[in-house]
Amino acid sequence: MSASKVVSFGHFQPERIVPNSELEKLVETSDEWITRRVGIEQRRWASAEDSVQSMATAAGTMALDNAAEVDASMIDLVIVATCTALDRSPNMAARVAQALNMDQGPATIDVNTACSGFAHAVALAQHSIAAGSSTHALVIGSEKLTDMTDFTDRTTCVLTADGAGAMVISASEESGISPVVWGSVPSLSDAVRIERENDDKFAQNGQSVYRWTVTQLPKIASKIIDRAGLDPEEIGAIVLHQANLRIIEPLAKQVGAPNARVATDVVESGNTSAASVPLALSKMMASDEPLASGTKALLFAFGGGLSYAGQVITIP
């Protein structure tokens, strides 16, 4: 079996809820300005006890608990997408495998393409299964962006948040994950960055990113759907990187998927980088109105590098 399917979802969010009014005490901003510019009303900030590893482990545990026929002992590949891990080695995937007592010794890989990391990780898991190198993969996006936030910069501190999302992917006779569409824009590689020379703080050229998204994202999203062999009308859900509601809502309309339910978790969760797509999707599946089995969901993210990636998955 060289095809892949999504088996289950999981997520974790810190307990602390931070409304826009709390940010008014830190920088010159307002609830009205934040809501109008990016659509965020509140976000979750991690405590000192919450780490990229602990959040990734919690999300992975939930995904495994939700996988009826797959448990931790069967996982032969762990991929963690993150750009906020504080240590270089051991990598985050190895630490998650250890925390989950995976004594069978899965392959452990970290992916750092910032906000698009989870979609890249899903593609790598799919490719590994297609090559016969893996059978069951645990794919996680986990970020503690508040560790990398400059709380004096009102253009970025109003965006960042913490959390994790996960997915179990297994070999299947029928494909449940479409071929990935991925790439980068090298000329904009510095538009989103976390660099040592800036004290490892998140910074971005918001206008450059915004101009690129509004002109290029609809074309790439249409290419993802086309590569999946589908018409836009067959898309039942759209889960974009939860960066800015003012980007998500127009793009969803431009894709031309009238039947699609659009994830808008950014409103209550903020921007969690590589965690945003799996977090929004898992929360959608855990809601009172989960997506129906068989729904075709478009996943699409973009971020530092400037990198992008997306695919269509079939909801289990």
Side-chain angles (χ1 to χ4, degrees):
M1 294 186 292
S2 60
S4 305
K5 66 177 181 181
V6 176
V7 174
S8 61
F9 309 94
H11 66 275
F12 174 85
Q13 287 187 285
E15 292 184 4
R16 184 184 176 188
I17 298 174
V18 180
N20 290 340
S21 58
E22 189 167 335
L23 290 168
E24 294 175 356
K25 304 172 185 177
L26 298 177
V27 292
E28 184 180 349
T29 191
S30 67
D31 174 64
E32 186 277 332
W33 186 89
I34 298 169
T35 304
R36 174 169 50 85
R37 294 290 295 268
V38 295
I40 298 172
E41 296 178 3
Q42 62 182 43
R43 72 282 292 144
R44 299 288 187 105
W45 284 358
S47 68
E49 289 72 34
D50 296 316
S51 64
V52 174
Q53 176 188 333
S54 68
M55 292 189 291
T57 301
T61 297
M62 181 178 175
L64 288 166
D65 288 345
N66 288 335
E69 299 180 0
V70 181
D71 61 37
S73 69
M74 300 166 64
I75 298 296
D76 48 22
L77 174 62
V78 179
I79 306 178
V80 175
T82 184
C83 64
T84 55
L86 298 179
D87 299 325
R88 293 181 181 272
S89 182
N91 68 4
M92 194 53 59
R95 286 183 161 163
V96 170
Q98 180 185 26
L100 293 175
N101 298 312
M102 293 182 175
D103 296 331
Q104 71 274 19
T108 53
I109 302 170
D110 281 7
V111 172
N112 180 4
T113 54
C115 306
S116 65
F118 185 79
H120 279 83
V122 169
L124 293 175
Q126 178 192 30
H127 296 166
S128 180
I129 290 172
S133 299
S134 305
T135 303
H136 302 289
L138 177 61
V139 182
I140 304 170
S142 182
E143 302 280 21
K144 192 175 179 181
L145 274 174
T146 51
D147 275 346
M148 311 295 179
T149 298
D150 178 356
F151 288 102
T152 67
D153 180 2
R154 73 169 190 161
T155 65
T156 56
C157 74
V158 301
L159 305 173
T160 53
D162 307 318
M167 185 184 291
V168 173
I169 297 174
S170 293
S172 172
E173 292 183 357
E174 295 185 4
S175 177
I177 304 175
S178 75
V180 68
V181 172
W182 55 9
S184 66
V185 187
S187 62
L188 291 176
S189 62
D190 290 333
V192 183
R193 57 199 182 277
I194 299 174
E195 296 176 319
R196 181 175 298 178
E197 65 183 35
N198 190 39
D199 296 325
D200 292 322
K201 299 303 182 184
F202 164 57
Q204 68 172 356
N205 185 329
Q207 287 301 312
S208 294
V209 174
Y210 183 79
R211 285 194 295 271
W212 180 82
T213 59
V214 297
T215 59
Q216 300 303 315
L217 289 192
K219 302 174 188 177
I220 300 170
S222 296
K223 186 176 180 179
I224 296 169
I225 296 171
D226 184 63
R227 187 164 292 181
L230 299 170
D231 293 323
E233 293 79 9
E234 297 176 89
I235 299 297
I238 297 176
V239 187
L240 304 177
H241 168 44
Q242 302 293 295
N244 186 328
L245 191 64
R246 307 311 168 209
I247 295 174
I248 294 170
E249 290 180 327
L251 176 59
K253 292 180 180 179
Q254 290 173 298
V255 166
N259 303 313
R261 180 174 164 187
V262 181
T264 57
D265 187 51
V266 66
V267 175
E268 62 178 38
S269 296
N271 181 342
T272 56
S273 188
S276 78
V277 167
L279 174 61
L281 182 54
S282 181
K283 288 178 66 178
M284 188 180 286
M285 294 304 296
S287 71
D288 293 335
E289 297 181 0
L291 298 171
S293 176
T295 298
K296 304 296 184 183
L298 169 66
L299 313 184
F300 185 22
F302 56 93
L306 190 145
S307 62
Y308 60 85
Q311 57 271 109
V312 176
I313 66 166
T314 302
I315 298 298

